[in-house]
Amino acid sequence: GVFYVWVVIDRFDADIRNRIYEREKAIIDEFGDFEFDFYIISRMGRDVEDLISESIDLTYKKAGLP
């Protein structure tokens, strides 16, 4: 029962992180019956595929990302 959510951003930026935290809170409030574990990952120029373990199933990837 836990939904693991990885949000990949290009670099750590306080304003962007705060917007993500607000969205995470809204998701938790909206879907209170579910358990979430959120992670914010800074890509720092690396390919997204290099950050994703082969042992997980990718459920959604936003269009337009490499």
Side-chain angles (χ1 to χ4, degrees), residues 32-63:
D33 293 337
F34 297 96
E35 186 174 345
F36 293 94
D37 198 352
F38 292 97
Y39 296 90
I40 299 176
I41 309 297
S42 177
R43 193 168 66 88
M44 299 188 313
R46 296 174 290 183
D47 288 335
V48 172
E49 286 76 18
D50 292 341
L51 306 173
I52 299 172
S53 170
E54 292 180 12
S55 65
I56 65 168
D57 295 323
L58 183 62
T59 303
Y60 175 78
K61 180 179 175 181
K62 186 174 179 177

Side-chain angles (χ1 to χ4, degrees), residues 16-34:
I16 292 171
R17 284 196 324 263
N18 288 334
R19 289 175 43 204
I20 293 169
Y21 297 146
E22 288 297 318
R23 180 60 71 180
E24 290 172 352
K25 184 181 180 319
I27 290 169
I28 290 168
D29 290 345
E30 180 71 24
F31 300 98
D33 293 337
F34 297 96

